Amino acid sequence: MNDWFFLTIEASLDFVALVLAIILIVGAAGNHLRLWWGIMVLLSSSVLLHNNLMWLLGYYEPTALEQGYGLLVVHRMVEWFVAITPAFLYPLATLRPAYLNKLRLVLLLIPVGVVALMAVCYHWFNGYITELNSFVNVVNSIDEFDVRLRLGLFASTLVIPIVYMLIPVLGHFSSVRRRATLQMSIFVAWLLFVLLYYAVFTLFPNRFLFNTYGMVIVVFGIYVSVLHLLYENPLSHRITKISNVELTPTSEIIPPATGEKLYCSMTAYFKTHAPYANPDYTLKEMAHDVGSKQVRVLDAIKNSGFTGFKEYVSYLRVEHFKSLASEPNALSIKELMNASGFTSRSSFYRIFSEVEGTTPSKFVTAARRK
């Protein structure tokens, strides 16, 4: 199989990833993780699709394929660094939904911008680039300024992503709000594999690595995108948090508060009222019901370990279903499901099993035996 076959396959996969990314972004509905992953996949798949189309449409000369196997290629390292590095912050984002806000995200990504800007300025404006076709050339040309600069860039593109991925287990970050799933382990293993693949391709490039490098990235990007279409947070589960604040049911709206107090007031309010039983219940309506602003309500939800509004409402609906199922009545599972605010049977069964670790039918059977 020649290079053009691999390029065609990869371009097709890039297009699929691009479409999935747009779907995720458009349908994020307050889920910042889904939005963020969609943006990352959109960025990476766009870069890969552009490069592959340039090869296929003849904008790059065939002889450039061999040149593409060069060592420490600056544009390739910059593209990797900018498009893929944010994915290494994803474990932090999924385990601590409230921590990685816009300000912290910008601050953490400053090193990425600085390193990429330095490389771009040198390479595209005033820099001489030494041709490197083998690792021996690197050793023999180590005195050249651009070679040392490229080695520094390469080291940065390895070290910074690893540090980002380790943040959740360093210092006070080890106290996570959510528990990692098997999918998280697979995700981290994939990040490490892609990092190794990138390192080998950058230092020891060949035809096979050239043809498969983009596929390694985009195939898993598609896989995780599909998971995000099915689950609000496929990489972690919420750990039930015991609050020190008493949750006393009330029929009155509690005055505006922030953080844990606001979450407790919301929980107390919903013990008496069940507006979430309306399938069309929105974040705007929830903020109005508890007498607070939408941004504060969303922050309170995230601070309590939920990914976003939709996951929190699903949790409330599952609790409502359990409450109704425990009462002496003859309602069917479908009737209990509809009374709790769920409209899709498949989504209800998936969400209930994820939250409770059992099926609704088994839960109802056990509850009615008591």
Side-chain angles (χ1 to χ4, degrees):
M1 292 183 287
N2 57 30
D3 296 309
W4 308 111
F5 173 81
F6 283 102
L7 290 171
T8 302
I9 296 298
E10 186 183 334
S12 301
L13 292 172
D14 294 336
F15 180 75
V16 172
L18 189 66
V19 172
L20 288 175
I22 294 173
I23 294 174
L24 286 174
I25 293 171
V26 173
N31 186 329
H32 67 292
L33 286 177
R34 185 175 290 172
L35 176 63
W36 186 12
W37 183 257
I39 292 174
M40 286 192 295
V41 173
L42 179 67
L43 178 60
S44 59
S45 60
S46 296
V47 171
L48 291 171
L49 181 61
H50 171 267
N51 289 342
N52 289 319
L53 288 178
M54 291 300 100
W55 291 112
L56 290 171
L57 296 177
Y59 287 95
Y60 294 159
E61 296 295 329
T63 55
L65 281 171
E66 296 298 332
Q67 297 175 7
Y69 304 150
L71 277 69
L72 298 172
V73 179
V74 175
H75 74 82
R76 185 184 298 146
M77 290 190 288
V78 171
E79 288 174 354
W80 150 270
F81 198 41
V82 174
I84 304 299
T85 298
F88 286 80
L89 278 169
Y90 211 63
L92 173 61
T94 187
L95 292 173
R96 294 180 64 89
Y99 178 79
L100 205 57
N101 55 32
K102 293 179 182 178
L103 176 59
R104 289 195 179 104
L105 180 60
V106 170
L107 291 175
L108 286 170
L109 290 180
I110 284 178
V112 177
V114 171
V115 173
L117 183 61
M118 290 174 57
V120 168
C121 289
Y122 181 84
H123 184 262
W124 277 275
F125 293 102
N126 61 353
Y128 169 75
I129 301 299
T130 303
E131 184 176 350
L132 300 173
N133 296 316
S134 69
F135 197 73
V136 175
N137 291 149
V138 177
V139 176
N140 294 335
S141 305
I142 197 66
D143 292 333
E144 297 290 339
F145 175 76
D146 76 292
V147 175
R148 296 197 300 271
L149 179 67
R150 288 153 72 184
L151 284 171
L153 173 62
F154 175 65
S156 299
T157 60
L158 292 178
V159 173
I160 292 178
I162 291 176
V163 171
Y164 284 168
M165 193 166 58
L166 291 176
I167 286 178
V169 297
L170 297 176
H172 66 279
F173 294 104
S174 60
S175 177
V176 297
R177 295 280 187 172
R178 297 177 66 94
R179 181 178 64 256
T181 64
L182 175 61
Q183 297 296 345
M184 172 69 84
S185 300
I186 296 174
F187 183 82
V188 172
W190 169 75
L191 287 180
L192 293 174
F193 177 73
V194 170
L195 190 67
L196 177 63
Y197 214 92
Y198 158 76
V200 174
F201 183 37
T202 304
L203 293 179
F204 307 99
N206 57 52
R207 183 177 295 274
F208 175 77
L209 295 175
F210 178 84
N211 286 325
T212 57
Y213 172 66
M215 288 188 188
V216 170
I217 296 174
V218 73
V219 168
F220 198 79
I222 292 174
Y223 170 67
V224 179
S225 296
V226 172
L227 287 179
H228 274 288
L229 290 175
L230 297 175
Y231 303 98
E232 288 297 297
N233 190 337
L235 305 185
S236 66
H237 291 310
R238 179 176 178 268
I239 299 174
T240 303
K241 179 172 177 285
I242 305 300
S243 173
N244 293 324
V245 181
E246 185 180 357
L247 303 182
T248 305
T250 177
S251 59
E252 300 296 331
I253 296 180
I254 297 179
T258 58
E260 186 175 3
K261 289 184 178 180
L262 176 57
Y263 175 74
C264 291
S265 70
M266 291 162 54
T267 304
Y269 178 79
F270 292 135
K271 278 191 173 183
T272 301
H273 306 274
Y276 48 80
N278 176 5
D280 299 321
Y281 193 55
T282 65
L283 176 62
K284 182 178 180 180
E285 291 172 325
M286 178 179 286
H288 177 269
D289 289 341
V290 299
S292 187
K293 295 181 179 179
Q294 293 185 48
V295 65
R296 289 184 177 179
V297 169
L298 196 55
D299 285 343
I301 290 172
K302 292 179 182 178
N303 274 309
S304 296
F306 291 99
T307 300
F309 168 76
K310 189 172 181 180
E311 187 182 39
Y312 177 55
V313 170
S314 295
Y315 166 78
L316 293 174
R317 288 170 177 165
V318 167
E319 291 297 307
H320 193 64
F321 175 92
K322 290 163 57 181
S323 176
L324 293 177
S326 300
E327 296 176 357
N329 57 59
L331 295 178
S332 65
I333 291 180
K334 182 178 180 180
E335 291 171 325
L336 292 172
M337 179 191 80
N338 292 333
S340 301
F342 291 101
T343 55
S344 170
R345 184 178 184 277
S346 59
S347 296
F348 166 65
Y349 270 74
R350 186 181 69 249
I351 292 170
F352 190 94
S353 299
E354 183 181 357
V355 173
E356 297 299 320
T358 186
T359 64
S361 56
K362 289 181 179 180
F363 178 88
V364 171
T365 301
R368 288 177 176 173
R369 284 177 179 174
K370 295 179 180 180

